[in-house]
Amino acid sequence: MCQSRVNSLEVPDMLPVVVVHGGAGHIPKERSEKSTEGVCSAVRAGYAVLKRGGSSMDAVVEAVAQLENNPAFNAGCGSVLNMKGEVEMDTIVMDGKTLGSGAVSAVRNIANPVCLARLVMDKTSHTCLTAEGANKFAQSMGVPEVPMESLITEYARMRWRKNLAADAKPVECQMGKMGTVGAVAVDSEGNVACATSTGGMLNKMEGRVGDTPCIGSGGYADNQTGAVSTTGHGEAIMKVTLARLILFHMEQGQSAEAASDLGLAYMKSRVEALGGVVTVDPQGHWAARFSSKQMSWAAAQKDTLHYGLYTGEHFTQSIDEPL
């Protein structure tokens, strides 16, 4: 996953760009193809928004909404279940131009939490709404509620039952199989944005909130530096504020790729945790990096689709060519 090297005269040709991830960990072979197809489809949707002149925020919301609608991922209709066998979802969006951010946590019965998080950013003076309050806000904005059953897949229910056993290890089981989703983008104006969405941790306590809706952990975007969306064990990511840590390294002159590797290495050494990130800078340099065994990711830039699943894997093809 080598970063492009260009001189300043070529930078405008690097824009726009969008990069998405479908979660870090171990993805079972029988689900890996769906995961790769899903991130490629989502990145195409986000890139189409950018090519039409849409903003980076429009693009990341569109890409993540596509992933929320895909049952192959731990977000929206593929979310994992809490101890009670129910779905509670967390999401964040952040606009690098204004540092505006919106998030929801422990929200229920919403098909696309990423769209609700954007409404929190655009329509309130707050940055995060949680649980019942988030659902009441959704109702006030005319966002329809959906039956919880529509968000629960048979795969999620099977894993929930399996991890009710006394000797189960949900954190180890969580690392992969289905993943948190996220996206970062730079539009033609050089504005960056990020979005991250998740169903959280497998068999979590009711009301548990992880890194995803926490600014600086699940995501961060700043036009002066870049944008990051993270995936992995939420409690570990929060301890090192992974997204902001990576941007700190970029502020010190590190590339998007090197900064991502430094942040992930620190999290591994300091709290013994694995994860993954997608990162961009305002010039259009990007990275998809992970310390886990796998992370499904895809990027679109200069009408080229990039994608991969394993460490060191990087396929390219025309954006219009089917997989």
Side-chain angles (χ1 to χ4, degrees):
M1 284 166 257
C2 298
Q3 218 176 351
S4 302
R5 306 295 180 190
V6 297
N7 63 45
S8 58
L9 294 176
E10 295 174 309
V11 163
D13 294 334
M14 304 269 290
L15 305 180
V17 57
V18 58
V19 194
V20 308
H21 69 75
H26 168 65
I27 303 167
K29 189 173 182 180
E30 66 271 15
R31 297 184 69 84
S32 61
E33 186 174 327
K34 288 182 179 179
S35 186
T36 297
E37 290 174 352
V39 292
C40 288
S41 177
V43 89
R44 283 188 173 111
Y47 191 65
V49 169
L50 293 171
K51 292 290 282 186
R52 292 195 300 267
S55 69
S56 54
M57 178 57 67
D58 294 335
V60 295
V61 169
E62 177 63 27
V64 169
Q66 292 263 337
L67 294 168
E68 289 175 337
N69 293 338
N70 188 328
F73 301 99
N74 177 17
C77 70
S79 293
V80 298
L81 309 185
N82 65 16
M83 288 178 68
K84 292 180 65 178
E86 298 172 341
V87 169
E88 294 180 317
M89 300 166 289
D90 304 332
T91 311
I92 193 170
V93 300
M94 189 165 182
D95 183 344
K97 183 177 183 179
T98 64
L99 298 188
S101 180
V104 292
S105 62
V107 70
R108 298 165 178 252
N109 302 97
I110 300 294
N112 292 115
V114 70
C115 299
L116 184 57
R118 185 172 188 178
L119 286 171
V120 172
M121 180 180 72
D122 290 342
K123 302 296 184 180
T124 81
S125 59
H126 304 313
T127 57
C128 185
L129 296 177
T130 192
E132 185 180 354
N135 281 96
K136 287 182 177 178
F137 172 68
Q139 292 169 9
S140 74
M141 289 288 103
V143 177
E145 287 200 349
V146 298
M148 185 171 290
E149 285 299 313
S150 70
L151 302 174
I152 299 176
T153 64
E154 281 305 311
Y155 184 67
R157 200 181 297 280
M158 176 273 292
R159 294 181 66 215
W160 170 71
R161 289 196 190 101
K162 181 179 177 181
N163 281 276
L164 289 174
D167 60 345
K169 296 180 179 179
V171 173
E172 286 80 355
C173 186
Q174 174 79 4
M175 280 309 293
K177 308 235 178 21
M178 298 153 63
T180 290
V181 304
V184 292
V186 194
D187 59 30
S188 58
E189 303 296 319
N191 297 313
V192 303
C194 71
T196 311
S197 184
T198 187
M201 181 184 291
L202 183 65
N203 290 46
K204 63 190 178 183
M205 292 175 65
E206 189 177 8
R208 177 265 187 185
V209 175
D211 66 293
T212 295
C214 299
I215 192 168
S217 293
Y220 201 86
D222 184 346
N223 274 11
Q224 295 185 10
T225 316
V228 181
S229 172
T230 68
T231 171
H233 183 210
E235 280 70 8
I237 289 172
M238 285 190 282
K239 289 174 183 177
V240 301
T241 54
L242 182 59
R244 191 62 187 85
L245 176 62
I246 288 168
L247 291 179
F248 166 79
H249 287 301
M250 291 171 69
E251 289 168 350
Q252 306 307 305
Q254 297 289 342
S255 68
E257 184 175 284
S260 299
D261 287 345
L262 284 166
L264 289 166
Y266 178 75
M267 186 170 76
K268 184 177 181 180
S269 65
R270 189 70 178 87
V271 294
E272 300 181 343
L274 306 178
V277 300
V278 289
T279 306
V280 291
D281 71 19
Q283 290 73 44
H285 302 99
W286 59 270
R289 307 296 288 179
F290 48 100
S291 53
S292 55
K293 184 177 180 181
Q294 295 158 288
M295 182 181 80
S296 59
W297 64 271
Q301 184 179 51
K302 297 174 72 172
D303 294 333
T304 300
L305 174 69
H306 306 252
Y307 63 95
L309 180 65
Y310 291 93
T311 301
E313 193 173 76
H314 187 157
F315 301 107
T316 60
Q317 63 180 61
S318 167
I319 195 74
D320 298 319
E321 182 184 341
L323 283 181

